Amino acid sequence: MSHLSKLDGYFAENRDNHLAELNEFLRIPSISSLSEHKQDMQTAASWLAAAMKRVNLDNISIDETGGHPVVYADWLHAPGKPTILFYGHYDVQPVDPLNLWETPPFEPTVRDNKLFARGASDDKGQVFMHLKALEALFALDGTLPVNVKFIIEGEEEIGSPNLPQYVEKNKEKLAADLILISDTGLYAPGKPAVCYGLRGLTGIQIDVRGAKGDLHSGLYGGGVQNAIHALADILASFRDEHGTIQVEGFYDNVRPLSEEERQAYLDLNFDEEALKEEVGVKELFGEKGYSYLEQTWARPTLEVNGVFGGFSGEGIKTVLPAEAGAKITCRLVPDQDPDEIVALLKAHVEKHKPAGVEVTISEFDKGAPFITPFDHPVIQAAGRSYERVYEVPTAYTRGGGSIPIVAAFDQILQLPVVLMGFGLSSENFHAPNEHFHLENFDKGLRVLGDYLYEVSTLSL
């Protein structure tokens, strides 16, 4: 009997017990952003530690940080085999507005083969799956084919403020051959995906100041600079009519797509017409020479996120605004450095600043881009495990968004990162009625178990 057949039998036999155990975890209101749930965060960490003990892991600890604790565990009894570091988080988003939930957010409920509860998909359900995959291998083989380490944090939903320091301090303890994360999703229902890259993020605020106060447009109009016009000139200078960024040096370090990557994206047969209907536009927009997936996964951006200044109330007010501002963010791709990009933005603004105003630039938080090479053995092994269970080709994708802690792992530990998720974009994570399709819970358990066998055959 193949190991996948044995996994099928084990998970089918234990499904009810596993769901009952997961429901215990989901009932804990571990909302990291609300101080009244501080004790619930400790309860969730303790629950995880106890679950790890039941699985037969070693060196389990609840490590305090400057905020909510990190739960660590390992099992290192497979000499000569690779070591996988599992990462996940046990904290969840707030549940407001509560009245939009069909059933209480911390009372797990199954409807239409979907498990409804806050954290079901993001990320308690997926963290739990890793533990159950290990439990299955212990039950079937009495051992594991690889070495494992766990680092499960309680602050992902508030930006992981203390985790980089924890990782830096514990680099030796966290040493491994790869990092495995299940906090992403499938490409589409029934279509698994390995995400091998994420864009980084940086941002600035531009504040323009003209006169010492708003001026009467009849008395001063045409003779004194209007702060909004000055801001508009600066913003217009950032991009051409196709969205190509005009900041000098902005594209200098952009890593080009390989032909294999471009072909992998083409093979997904992305439906741009369906996208236009979904978002309610008649045509798409972006850099010439790149498909929509290439534009949103592998090309950098510069977007104006908000503009403010002047009079916006009902009717009209004939003034020359003295102040105006804009918030701008850039999604970055390998090998762009957030600090270098901010420096280029500042130089560009200074070069294009109109006469008659002063400009101040403030910086926002930054996150580096991340990529594990598309052809890396741990990426391709993940694709094989998905295909063995889902019985369709695996999609190899990049994420257009940013998960700063993934980039921090990449930079501090310098390990390949494998993002193997089982959620769906329709599962309302961060919103009322969050849920997890149990079809993917069932298949995901088998994928993760199979992946441990796959990794055990690699020379890393």
Side-chain angles (χ1 to χ4, degrees):
M1 182 184 294
S2 70
H3 65 255
L4 195 54
S5 296
K6 291 191 291 184
L7 287 170
D8 286 341
Y10 180 84
F11 289 127
E13 181 181 349
N14 290 277
R15 187 177 192 263
D16 289 345
N17 290 335
H18 288 167
L19 287 178
E21 191 175 346
L22 174 56
N23 287 348
E24 291 179 9
F25 194 21
L26 294 173
R27 288 190 184 101
I28 305 170
S30 49
I31 303 173
S32 54
S33 62
L34 301 179
S35 58
E36 61 262 36
H37 288 283
K38 184 175 182 179
Q39 183 54 53
D40 294 316
M41 297 300 297
Q42 292 288 336
T43 300
S46 297
W47 189 97
L48 262 180
M52 291 171 169
K53 185 175 182 179
R54 290 194 296 272
V55 169
N56 202 32
L57 298 181
D58 301 326
N59 300 312
I60 301 165
S61 62
I62 299 175
D63 299 339
E64 297 300 326
T65 69
H68 302 302
V70 168
V71 185
Y72 174 86
D74 61 36
W75 186 92
L76 306 173
H77 306 293
K81 294 296 184 178
T83 299
I84 299 177
L85 174 61
F86 295 91
Y87 163 80
H89 62 94
Y90 63 87
D91 64 321
V92 300
Q93 283 277 328
V95 297
D96 302 325
L98 190 60
N99 64 298
L100 296 183
W101 286 81
E102 293 183 26
T103 51
F106 296 110
E107 293 182 16
T109 306
V110 175
R111 301 193 298 272
D112 301 322
N113 204 34
K114 303 170 189 174
L115 177 60
F116 286 80
R118 174 59 89 226
S121 179
D122 180 23
D123 181 39
K124 287 181 175 179
Q126 301 199 60
V127 166
F128 180 81
M129 289 164 64
H130 287 286
L131 294 175
K132 293 299 109 174
L134 297 186
E135 177 187 278
L137 296 185
F138 275 125
L140 295 171
D141 302 333
T143 188
L144 298 180
V146 294
N147 302 292
V148 299
K149 298 179 180 181
F150 277 81
I151 175 175
I152 312 298
E153 70 157 321
E155 297 185 328
E156 194 273 346
E157 300 292 6
I158 55 174
S160 303
N162 292 290
L163 195 61
Q165 181 180 2
Y166 176 90
V167 173
E168 186 72 52
K169 182 180 177 181
N170 293 279
K171 284 170 64 173
E172 185 174 341
K173 182 168 81 168
L174 300 175
D177 294 292
L178 72 140
I179 300 170
L180 178 58
I181 302 174
S182 294
D183 195 13
T184 51
L186 305 179
Y187 179 69
K191 180 68 171 178
V194 179
C195 181
Y196 66 95
L198 297 167
R199 293 196 287 192
L201 181 69
T202 194
I204 61 172
Q205 178 169 316
I206 301 172
D207 290 291
V208 176
R209 178 82 197 197
K212 63 181 180 180
D214 291 351
L215 301 176
H216 191 291
S217 65
L219 297 177
Y220 298 96
V224 176
Q225 180 66 276
N226 182 314
I228 291 181
H229 283 295
L231 176 66
D233 288 344
I234 294 171
L235 298 182
S237 73
F238 278 124
R239 307 195 316 186
D240 69 11
E241 68 273 21
H242 303 299
T244 302
I245 297 163
Q246 302 299 295
V247 175
E248 185 175 352
F250 190 89
Y251 293 108
D252 284 358
N253 294 321
V254 171
R255 187 185 304 185
L257 280 162
S258 69
E259 288 305 313
E260 290 80 8
E261 288 175 293
R262 301 194 87 163
Q263 186 59 50
Y265 299 172
L266 284 173
D267 290 344
L268 294 175
N269 297 314
F270 182 76
D271 190 341
E272 293 192 355
E273 292 303 316
L275 174 71
K276 285 189 273 188
E277 183 175 348
E278 176 188 341
V279 301
V281 298
K282 293 183 178 179
E283 58 184 324
L284 299 179
F285 170 85
E287 276 187 281
K288 297 299 182 183
Y290 297 94
S291 70
Y292 177 82
L293 292 184
E294 291 170 345
Q295 290 167 346
T296 56
W297 289 353
R299 297 295 294 172
T301 68
L302 187 154
E303 301 287 354
V304 178
N305 307 123
V307 178
F308 45 92
F311 176 71
S312 58
E314 184 178 355
I316 192 169
K317 184 179 182 183
T318 54
V319 295
L320 270 66
E323 296 178 314
K327 296 179 185 291
I328 292 172
T329 53
C330 298
R331 298 287 178 174
L332 308 179
V333 299
D335 298 290
Q336 290 181 300
D337 178 81
D339 291 320
E340 290 180 7
I341 293 300
V342 167
L344 294 176
L345 295 177
K346 289 181 176 180
H348 180 90
V349 171
E350 187 62 30
K351 180 179 178 181
H352 291 83
K353 180 180 71 175
V357 295
E358 295 300 320
V359 178
T360 303
I361 296 177
S362 306
E363 300 180 23
F364 296 128
D365 292 342
K366 306 179 184 74
F370 137 78
I371 191 167
T372 295
F374 171 74
D375 57 356
H376 195 288
V378 298
I379 296 292
Q380 295 300 313
R384 291 193 296 273
S385 290
Y386 270 127
E387 289 175 7
R388 206 168 279 125
V389 174
Y390 279 84
E391 298 181 333
V392 297
T394 299
Y396 294 92
T397 70
R398 295 199 206 178
S402 307
I403 307 178
I405 193 57
V406 174
F409 276 133
D410 180 46
Q411 293 174 327
I412 298 171
L413 299 179
Q414 298 183 351
L415 298 175
V417 181
V418 182
L419 298 172
M420 293 179 72
F422 300 95
L424 290 171
S425 60
S426 61
E427 289 179 336
N428 289 9
F429 39 84
H430 293 205
N433 301 307
E434 178 181 349
H435 57 278
F436 193 14
H437 285 68
L438 292 179
E439 174 189 3
N440 294 320
F441 174 79
D442 295 331
K443 289 183 175 179
L445 288 167
R446 292 153 173 81
V447 172
L448 293 171
D450 184 82
Y451 187 57
L452 297 182
Y453 286 115
E454 277 285 332
V455 170
S456 73
T457 67
L458 304 178
S459 299
L460 300 176

